[in-house]
């Protein structure tokens, strides 16, 4: 039941989530619908946290339940991993440890044939610049979930510019508090609201 999956994530039910996902898959449910239900659970947990009904521990177990569920679901979502569409360096900005959205973007990119270098979380400006120098990606993707960390994205773009790396590296940003307008303000090449749009826009950037 998709509702049970959503509730299990929202309630941080790390004990049952794997079994629930597995039995929904066995019952023939579409894996993408299961992913939607899981993301809905996280969204509801975030809303409860935002209005003071939930606290940090609830947020943490919801994130853990999501990861447990993804361990079962991920192999069923994978498409083609063959082609070489391009190279993307992906990471969360300094001070930000939210991994789930970034991981989904990375996962979909890999499934769509991209090589993904995942810098994980809490990346300083220096770390991003070093990674761009080392891996020479077509696209740098940055993620921020906090209003207090999103400004770091602009600093990375300035540093890439200063190092002469901006011309050859397209930049896309994503995450809850950022927007198309913010992307324009800081000079990013693109913004995406979700992972599917992200993959589409990254394909467009690589083709340019
Ligand atoms: C789970 C969670 C956590 C977990 C994270 C676990 C983990 N491993 O990631 C933990 C418990 C660690 C956590 C901690 C905190 N959190 Co938190 N968290 C969340 C929650 C509930 C869900 C985030 C999530 O994973 N969403 C699901 C994914 C799939 O969505 P997404 O991240 O937005 O990503 C999608 C798109 O944005 C986009 N995208 C994202 N990145 C990128 C990058 C690129 C390149 C592209 C193209 C697209 C893209 O594609 C993704 C997939 O479709 C949100 C609420 C919410 N609804 O977002 C709060 C939320 C983000 N957290 C919040 C807060 C305040 C905190 C804390 C400060 C709490 C505290 N007092 O300590 C700490 C900060 C920790 C830190 N330094 O980073 C606030 C942020 C408020 C704000 N605007 O600044 C939120 C909005 C909750 C709220 N309503 O108040 N959190």
């Amino acid at each position: 039941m998709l509702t049970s999956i959503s509730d299990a994530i929202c309630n941080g039910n790390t004990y049952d989530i794997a079994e629930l996902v597995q039995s929904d898959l066995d019952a023939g449910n579409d894996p993408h619908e299961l992913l939607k239900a899981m993301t809905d659970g996280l969204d509801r947990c975030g809303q409860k946290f935002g209005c003071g009904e939930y606290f940090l521990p609830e947020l943490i177990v919801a994130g853990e339940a999501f990861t447990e569920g993804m361990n079962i679901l991920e192999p069923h979502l994978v498409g083609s991993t063959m082609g070489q569409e391009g190279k993307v360096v992906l990471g969360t900005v300094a001070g930000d440890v939210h991994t789930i959205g970034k991981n989904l973007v990375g996962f979909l990119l890999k499934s769509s044939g991209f090589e993904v270098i995942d810098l994980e979380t809490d990346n300083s400006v220096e770390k991003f610049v070093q990674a761009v120098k080392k891996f020479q990606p077509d696209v740098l993707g940055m993620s921020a979930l906090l209003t207090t960390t999103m400004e770091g994205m602009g600093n990375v773009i300035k540093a890439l510019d200063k190092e002469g790396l901006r011309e050859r590296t397209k930049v896309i940003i994503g995450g809850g508090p950022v927007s198309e307008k913010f992307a324009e303000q800081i000079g990013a090449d693109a913004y995406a609201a979700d992972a599917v749009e992200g993959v589409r826009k990254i394909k467009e950037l690589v083709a340019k």
Side-chain angles (χ1 to χ4, degrees):
M1 291 286 278
L2 299 181
T3 321
S4 320
I5 297 257
S6 174
D7 287 347
I9 300 289
C10 184
N11 300 330
N13 185 347
T14 51
Y15 299 106
D16 297 326
I17 186 69
E19 207 179 312
L20 281 171
V21 172
Q22 189 60 60
S23 65
D24 270 10
L25 284 169
D26 293 343
N29 282 297
D30 178 353
H32 293 93
E33 289 302 316
L34 293 190
L35 180 59
K36 258 194 223 155
M38 285 172 54
T39 309
D40 172 71
L42 261 191
D43 276 348
R44 289 193 292 128
C45 176
Q47 283 157 17
K48 285 173 188 273
F49 176 80
C51 69
E53 189 183 332
Y54 275 9
F55 297 95
L56 193 55
E58 281 90 355
L59 216 54
I60 293 173
V61 285
E64 285 172 358
F66 190 94
T67 306
E68 294 274 328
M70 271 310 276
N71 288 340
I72 306 293
L73 192 59
E74 205 168 296
H76 299 269
L77 290 166
V78 178
S80 154
T81 51
M82 300 296 280
Q84 278 298 310
E85 290 281 333
K87 198 191 284 182
V88 181
V89 164
L90 204 57
T92 304
V93 292
D96 206 315
V97 301
H98 293 87
T99 51
I100 295 170
K102 167 194 68 63
N103 289 350
L104 270 182
V105 174
F107 168 74
L108 272 197
L109 280 169
K110 280 191 222 155
S111 315
S112 309
F114 282 89
E115 181 185 351
V116 177
I117 294 116
D118 189 346
L119 305 179
E120 298 295 341
T121 56
D122 191 17
N123 289 286
S124 63
V125 170
E126 183 61 15
K127 264 199 196 163
F128 274 119
V129 170
Q130 287 310 323
V132 167
K133 273 190 188 158
K134 183 173 172 193
F135 299 108
Q136 304 190 356
D138 302 290
V139 179
L140 168 66
M142 290 185 280
S143 178
L145 268 280
L146 300 170
T147 44
T148 47
T149 59
M150 61 194 260
E151 296 300 333
M153 294 172 155
N155 297 334
V156 174
I157 292 175
K158 278 186 203 142
L160 290 177
D161 214 5
K162 205 169 153 200
E163 296 281 335
L165 298 163
R166 185 67 182 97
E167 281 288 300
R168 65 160 195 248
T169 320
K170 302 279 188 234
V171 177
I172 183 167
I173 62 166
V178 305
S179 62
E180 195 87 58
K181 194 169 166 224
F182 180 71
E184 270 171 36
Q185 275 169 14
I186 63 170
D189 298 294
Y191 154 79
D194 59 44
V196 174
E197 190 183 324
V199 173
R200 184 174 56 75
K201 292 209 170 164
I202 287 170
K203 279 185 178 166
E204 284 169 13
L205 289 176
V206 171
K208 267 185 191 169

